[in-house]
Amino acid sequence: MFRILLIMLGLSLTQPALAETRVPQSQSEISLGFAPLVKAAAPAVVNIYAKIVTQGYDSPFAGDPFFRDFFKGFGTPRQRVQNSLGSGVILSSDGIVVSNYHVVAEATEIRVATNDRKEYDAKVVLADKAADLAILQLQGAQDLPHLTLRNSDRVEVGELVLAIGNPFGVGQTVSSGIVSGLARTGGASGGGLGYFIQTDAPINPGNSGGALIDVNGDLIGINSRILSRSGGSNGIGFAIPANLVAQFVKQAQAGEQSFQRPWAGMAGQPVDSDLAHSLGLDLPEGIVISDLHPDSPFAKAGFRVGDVITQVDGLPVNSAPEMVFRMTVTGIGETAKFTRVRDGQPEEIAVRMIPAPNKPAAEPITLGDKTVLPGLSVARINPAVITRVDLPLSAEGVVITDPGRYGARAGLRPGDVIVSINDVAISRTGDVKKALTDPGRWLKMDLLRHGQQVSLRFRL
């Protein structure tokens, strides 16, 4: 039946040897439309209802833009219940479901309704805010219809696609369009960072987490974001590629508690026309390395500052999000081939994907009540901490991971690197605890914040 649909649409996509390019030959072919495709794929798309219970405070200063920050956390405690509605896609017969992180984030209760009106309790087994993806497991599910993941690297601009989801909570809805762009990395509203498939198939609130499928019924992406000034679809939607979804499913089934990304240990910038000329390149393409951590797998593979990376496994990369995406879908423990250009000469070099090393030991501590800043959390800087807190590759010493209630009021922020306390140099987390246990009548903290020196002084 799918073959008939391909013939009717005159397409040759994933299986050019099997598809015949011609116009519809009969009224039955014309009237067929997408009905067989929807009938096969729609049962694998579900509605997700998430309940979120938050703790708030009734404060007389809640509406005051000045005093509300000073009196945050004060007032009468009150629980608030928020409900979230979205879509999801079943990927296995035993109830593995993928959706967006922002659909189920911090949910205390999740119910999933299938196309045939059955309902299941669900729990989140793996979620990642940056990728805006979450993997759910349906409780007691078996023999469920599910979709097959397609290799999203083979998706081409111009392919016909269908978006299936539950926009505005009106019930399952299907919209059609084409793939209108690839390697989109910005300009959209909503959650998630990185690399997207762009489509003009209408996507609206509630479609989040739904399926973007091709004319074979295979999943090529998870609908995630829209570009909109009004909050509704303006014909530009973004889907997370299926290859990244596959990596999430793999890690979830392996029992990972948080999503693990390979570590590059490098900084770089896209090559523009001026930079291409200075580097002796014929075209402005790739990423030029501007900084390398000594423990970076690229440094160990022979890369150096000034090298240009143009491809990963034969696929072009022209921005940092593209390269991060390519490394992520390769997976930790695997090897990818990077095309390096040095002195105008390209060379393919294999680099093994590794997690950010947690060496030297981070030595994380949280200060107790006997210090002047209880609740302050700090860690010794290493590659894992640099990645988690988003610090420069050259950062050293001790960083604030959580300023705590009192530290935040004092002006401390996550990511501040502590240089000294009362003019005593800080190199280990124990130095912070010692300096803040009995600092005297005055407290002076010298910090590095976004590369700028900051000095804070308090009277105790």
Side-chain angles (χ1 to χ4, degrees), residues 152-153 241-245 247 259 262 324-331:
S152 54
D153 287 338
N243 285 7
L244 183 57
V245 176
Q247 213 24 256
F259 187 66
V324 170
F325 173 80
R326 294 294 170 203
M327 293 178 62
T328 303
V329 299
T330 298

Side-chain angles (χ1 to χ4, degrees), residues 248-326:
F248 267 77
V249 174
K250 180 180 178 180
Q251 293 195 23
Q253 292 176 333
E256 295 288 352
Q257 300 299 309
S258 60
F259 187 66
Q260 305 298 310
R261 290 178 175 80
W263 179 63
M266 74 160 66
Q269 66 182 87
V271 177
D272 57 21
S273 56
D274 292 336
L275 198 52
H277 179 73
S278 65
L279 293 170
L281 300 177
D282 295 331
L283 295 172
E285 59 179 352
I287 303 169
V288 61
I289 300 174
S290 58
D291 195 9
L292 268 178
H293 193 280
D295 294 327
S296 165
F298 289 88
K300 294 180 178 179
F303 287 76
R304 67 189 186 204
V305 173
D307 287 345
V308 177
I309 297 174
T310 58
Q311 294 183 347
V312 180
D313 288 332
L315 297 169
V317 290
N318 293 298
S319 67
E322 280 188 76
M323 184 166 163
V324 170
F325 173 80
R326 294 294 170 203

Side-chain angles (χ1 to χ4, degrees), residues 9-364:
L9 295 171
L11 294 178
S12 175
L13 298 175
T14 57
Q15 295 178 318
L18 298 179
E20 180 182 344
T21 302
R22 64 177 178 84
V23 298
Q25 299 295 304
S26 66
Q27 182 62 37
S28 62
E29 287 185 358
I30 295 173
S31 63
L32 186 61
F34 290 110
L37 181 61
V38 173
K39 187 175 181 180
V45 181
V46 298
N47 297 333
I48 297 177
Y49 305 91
K51 180 185 292 185
I52 304 169
V53 178
T54 60
Q55 185 72 37
Y57 293 87
D58 289 332
S59 170
F61 301 102
D64 191 295
F66 181 78
F67 287 105
R68 65 185 176 192
D69 291 332
F70 287 95
F71 291 92
K72 188 179 294 183
F74 289 90
T76 305
R78 182 179 179 182
Q79 285 189 338
R80 294 180 173 86
V81 177
Q82 300 174 351
N83 293 303
S84 173
L85 173 66
S87 306
V89 182
I90 305 173
L91 296 180
S92 69
S93 60
D94 62 349
I96 291 290
V97 172
V98 61
S99 185
N100 286 140
Y101 175 91
H102 71 264
V103 172
V104 298
E106 302 178 2
T108 54
E109 181 181 334
I110 302 174
R111 293 285 290 175
V112 173
T114 59
N115 187 258
D116 58 1
R117 299 186 179 182
K118 292 182 180 178
E119 292 192 6
Y120 298 88
D121 289 325
K123 66 175 182 178
V124 176
V125 294
L126 184 64
D128 186 83
K129 183 177 182 179
D132 196 24
L133 281 176
I135 304 298
L136 285 65
Q137 175 66 63
L138 305 188
Q139 306 298 301
Q142 57 183 356
D143 300 326
L144 295 180
H146 57 280
L147 295 185
T148 300
L149 291 169
R150 175 183 167 185
N151 183 351
S152 54
D153 287 338
R154 296 182 180 177
V155 174
E156 298 183 37
V157 174
E159 287 192 32
L160 278 172
V161 291
L162 299 182
I164 308 177
N166 184 10
F168 301 111
V170 300
Q172 193 174 86
T173 303
V174 181
S175 56
S176 66
I178 64 170
V179 174
S180 49
L182 299 172
R184 300 305 193 205
T185 57
S189 62
L193 301 172
Y195 180 101
F196 298 92
I197 297 170
Q198 181 182 326
T199 177
D200 68 347
I203 295 173
N204 288 289
N207 269 117
S208 294
L212 188 69
I213 63 173
D214 63 14
V215 293
N216 292 311
D218 293 332
L219 184 71
I220 67 172
I222 296 297
N223 298 322
S224 178
R225 311 170 71 181
I226 58 174
L227 183 61
S228 174
R229 293 180 179 177
S230 63
S233 173
N234 286 339
I236 301 179
F238 297 87
I240 300 169
N243 285 7
L244 183 57
V245 176
Q247 213 24 256
F248 267 77
V249 174
K250 180 180 178 180
Q251 293 195 23
Q253 292 176 333
E256 295 288 352
Q257 300 299 309
S258 60
F259 187 66
Q260 305 298 310
R261 290 178 175 80
W263 179 63
M266 74 160 66
Q269 66 182 87
V271 177
D272 57 21
S273 56
D274 292 336
L275 198 52
H277 179 73
S278 65
L279 293 170
L281 300 177
D282 295 331
L283 295 172
E285 59 179 352
I287 303 169
V288 61
I289 300 174
S290 58
D291 195 9
L292 268 178
H293 193 280
D295 294 327
S296 165
F298 289 88
K300 294 180 178 179
F303 287 76
R304 67 189 186 204
V305 173
D307 287 345
V308 177
I309 297 174
T310 58
Q311 294 183 347
V312 180
D313 288 332
L315 297 169
V317 290
N318 293 298
S319 67
E322 280 188 76
M323 184 166 163
V324 170
F325 173 80
R326 294 294 170 203
M327 293 178 62
T328 303
V329 299
T330 298
I332 291 175
E334 303 296 330
T335 298
K337 293 181 179 179
F338 292 77
T339 301
R340 179 191 69 185
V341 179
R342 178 185 294 173
D343 299 326
Q345 299 299 315
E347 181 181 2
E348 197 170 68
I349 300 175
V351 179
R352 186 173 176 82
M353 302 293 97
I354 66 169
N358 197 27
K359 296 180 180 179
E363 303 172 351

